[in-house]
Amino acid sequence: MVDPRLLLASVFLIIVNNCYVYGRPLTFIEQQVQLCINQDIKRQPVIIDTDTDVDDLWAIHYLLNVPTVDVLAITTVGDGYSKPFYSGSNVLTFLDLIGCSNGVGVGYGVNLPLMSSGYVIPSSLLDAIDSYMTSPTCLNQSANIFLQPSPFGSIELIKLSLKYSKIPVDILVLGTMTNIATAISEDRSIISKIGTLYFSGGQFKSINSYTSLVPNLTVATYPESEETSDGSPNAYLDILALQRVGMSGIKNIVAMPLITQDTMLINLTQLNETLKRLNIQLKPFVLSFISSFVKCTSPNQTESYLKWWDNSAAQFMVQMQTNNSQGFCLRTQKVKSHYILSADSHQFYGQGMIDVETFLPNAHGLVNYTICTEANSDIFLAEFLNKISSEKLYSCERQYNHRFDIKLQQCMLKFENAEQQLNVAKQTSFPKAYVSFDLFIFFVCYLSSR
């Protein structure tokens, strides 16, 4: 005979388990999918969202070699510095060239901003980036035509990775916010699963820096069609997406501002001197990949035009995740920022303002950011070169079938089929009993929550 105490305990556990399920986004079947994926949570899961500019690929290479980071997915956006078709294929080609052809899923994403700013990227720059890997005048590499993107598109990959990750996922945005804003708009429940959102770029200037908030159409055609040194492309190429993400309720947003990134000036001579001083040997392709930046993207620039934009954001993310007081970012600041669609029409659209509370005490829509305000180029470069020379590629150790997005697909298929069979069984066998028990559990959960 069954011990009544054991039976009572079993019923209690079933009720508690169902209350737990009812109180969270995941259903029982979805919990089984999550368990089936068997995610390794010893490292911090990260989604990298990128427009696939050259410095984005540097950032990806760096993060793949960081032992504390687990890159769950790389999602691409096609409204930045590479044309839509190339934004994903260039990531796949690059991963293959560094020995990570199957370790990380790459999803193709949105091609148009939520609201076009009117900015037009010079075609010469786009063409240079699109053919960066394979052009005979640049890296002259062969592309593997058999490389496959993730079975999920960027938006779906972002939503599902956040939903099924056992722990909150950090997101590193190296281009516009278009993919993230779209994913959040489609499923706001994922916001609670975002640990920290890290952003490369943006401006955080005092409101006094802006002479007017009204477009002056006599100054120039509005909006401008050429890039300005005063603006941050990742912000103004889709300012509406940036606003939506900022005001979505994400608890932690960290930015590596353009003004700080631009202070990190290192030329090729300094790069080679650092390699020699640290006794670091880079693979020929990797060395060529970094040093060819000037030649391949802007032939008229001098060798001092070696910028560390997006990969400085990647390193800042790792510094913040690990609470590294010896990192290259020497000073951080907490600010409240308000992003505007336009200012005086003279290249000032899509800018961030701080000190808004002081000058406009009744302003609404302010977003909390932690920003890096001072950086050390030497510390940054030493860390960057050491990591990309290690060739550990921690996030690439998984075999294809054990990759997060592939396991996700397999587990979803497995348990969704099981759920369908269970629903059929419920409808044909003892439907009243199932309904009664479900209602009983529902009311117990409801009463316990009051």
Side-chain angles (χ1 to χ4, degrees):
M1 182 175 179
V2 179
D3 188 336
R5 291 174 298 179
L6 180 61
L7 181 60
L8 182 62
S10 299
V11 172
F12 176 75
L13 288 174
I14 291 174
I15 294 174
V16 169
N17 179 67
N18 278 271
C19 290
Y20 178 66
V21 173
Y22 286 140
R24 59 181 293 186
L26 296 185
T27 66
F28 178 76
I29 293 296
E30 288 171 340
Q31 290 182 62
Q32 302 311 303
V33 173
Q34 187 184 64
L35 292 172
C36 170
I37 296 171
N38 193 28
Q39 178 188 1
D40 179 9
I41 57 174
K42 296 176 182 177
R43 298 180 289 157
Q44 174 60 48
V46 170
I47 296 171
I48 304 174
D49 191 69
T50 172
D51 61 11
T52 322
D53 200 351
V54 179
D55 54 321
D56 298 49
L57 297 178
W58 291 345
I60 291 170
H61 194 188
Y62 167 76
L63 288 175
L64 293 175
N65 284 283
V66 174
T68 56
V69 168
D70 182 19
V71 181
L72 294 187
I74 299 173
T75 54
T76 67
V77 65
D79 60 1
Y81 276 88
S82 59
K83 295 173 185 171
F85 178 78
Y86 292 94
S87 60
S89 61
N90 272 348
V91 173
L92 288 169
T93 299
F94 177 71
L95 293 178
D96 185 51
L97 290 171
I98 63 172
C100 185
S101 57
N102 293 315
V104 180
V106 178
Y108 281 69
V110 178
N111 297 332
L112 296 173
L114 300 187
M115 185 177 76
S116 174
S117 66
Y119 175 75
V120 178
I121 303 172
S123 59
S124 59
L125 183 59
L126 275 176
D127 292 339
I129 294 174
D130 289 346
S131 58
Y132 195 88
M133 302 291 176
T134 57
S135 172
T137 59
C138 190
L139 294 177
N140 196 28
Q141 298 292 315
S142 298
N144 182 352
I145 63 173
F146 297 104
L147 298 174
Q148 294 293 312
S150 172
F152 302 103
S154 285
I155 306 304
E156 190 178 20
L157 189 53
I158 290 169
K159 292 191 298 184
L160 291 175
S161 296
L162 290 170
K163 178 179 181 178
Y164 285 107
S165 176
K166 292 180 181 178
I167 60 176
V169 179
D170 287 348
I171 299 178
L172 174 63
V173 182
L174 302 177
T176 65
M177 292 276 194
T178 311
N179 279 339
I180 310 302
T182 304
I184 287 174
S185 296
E186 293 182 3
D187 183 1
R188 298 192 64 82
S189 70
I190 64 175
I191 294 173
S192 63
K193 295 296 295 291
I194 298 175
T196 300
L197 187 138
Y198 295 88
F199 181 50
S200 174
Q203 291 286 30
F204 299 87
K205 296 182 179 181
S206 172
I207 191 173
N208 285 339
S209 300
Y210 302 95
T211 58
S212 171
L213 302 184
V214 180
N216 181 357
L217 299 181
T218 64
V219 175
T221 302
Y222 179 81
E224 298 288 351
S225 60
E226 294 181 359
E227 184 176 357
T228 167
S229 60
D230 212 27
S232 176
N234 289 351
Y236 66 68
L237 284 174
D238 198 349
I239 184 65
L240 189 56
L242 179 60
Q243 289 177 316
R244 286 185 181 177
V245 171
M247 298 180 67
S248 66
I250 297 173
K251 292 183 179 179
N252 302 306
I253 303 180
V254 176
M256 184 67 186
L258 184 64
I259 191 171
T260 307
Q261 293 172 330
D262 280 342
T263 64
M264 301 175 60
L265 298 175
I266 299 177
N267 58 38
L268 295 180
T269 300
Q270 292 171 303
L271 173 66
N272 291 323
E273 289 177 348
T274 303
L275 287 169
K276 184 177 180 180
R277 175 170 55 85
L278 298 177
N279 193 28
I280 293 176
Q281 298 290 328
L282 296 179
K283 281 186 174 181
F285 165 72
V286 175
L287 179 59
S288 177
F289 177 66
I290 296 173
S291 59
S292 62
F293 177 69
V294 178
K295 176 185 70 174
C296 295
T297 60
S298 191
N300 296 325
Q301 296 287 346
T302 65
E303 72 160 21
S304 63
Y305 191 67
L306 189 59
K307 296 294 186 74
W308 305 106
W309 295 303
D310 288 347
N311 52 331
S312 66
Q315 196 172 132
F316 185 37
M317 178 184 75
V318 175
Q319 179 177 338
M320 295 288 287
Q321 288 173 339
T322 57
N323 295 314
N324 180 13
S325 60
Q326 305 300 314
F328 82 104
C329 179
L330 305 179
R331 185 174 288 111
T332 62
Q333 180 182 358
K334 293 184 181 296
V335 299
K336 289 181 178 290
S337 183
H338 180 69
Y339 265 89
I340 54 177
L341 292 177
S342 65
D344 63 4
S345 176
H346 192 59
Q347 302 288 0
F348 277 148
Y349 54 92
Q351 298 288 10
M353 298 183 295
I354 57 177
D355 301 329
V356 179
E357 290 178 301
T358 301
F359 296 100
L360 296 174
N362 295 321
H364 298 285
L366 300 180
V367 178
N368 293 316
Y369 288 86
T370 299
I371 62 174
C372 177
T373 58
E374 184 180 350
N376 183 298
S377 298
D378 293 332
I379 297 175
F380 164 81
L381 189 59
E383 163 69 5
F384 175 67
L385 294 175
N386 270 306
K387 283 293 186 293
I388 65 172
S389 66
S390 69
E391 301 178 14
K392 296 292 185 181
L393 297 173
Y394 294 97
S395 293
C396 304
E397 293 176 343
R398 294 175 289 252
Q399 297 297 316
Y400 177 81
N401 287 334
H402 295 283
R403 204 170 72 189
F404 188 85
D405 62 324
I406 301 302
K407 286 287 293 182
L408 173 61
Q409 183 190 49
Q410 294 170 346
C411 295
M412 288 177 66
L413 289 173
K414 175 182 177 181
F415 285 99
E416 283 178 356
N417 289 336
E419 184 177 32
Q420 291 174 358
Q421 295 174 5
L422 180 62
N423 289 335
V424 171
K426 281 185 177 182
Q427 294 171 3
T428 57
S429 303
F430 311 109
K432 294 182 180 179
Y434 274 109
V435 171
S436 300
F437 186 65
D438 283 348
L439 286 174
F440 170 69
I441 292 174
F442 171 78
F443 282 117
V444 170
C445 293
Y446 173 75
L447 292 173
S448 65
S449 66
R450 291 177 63 86

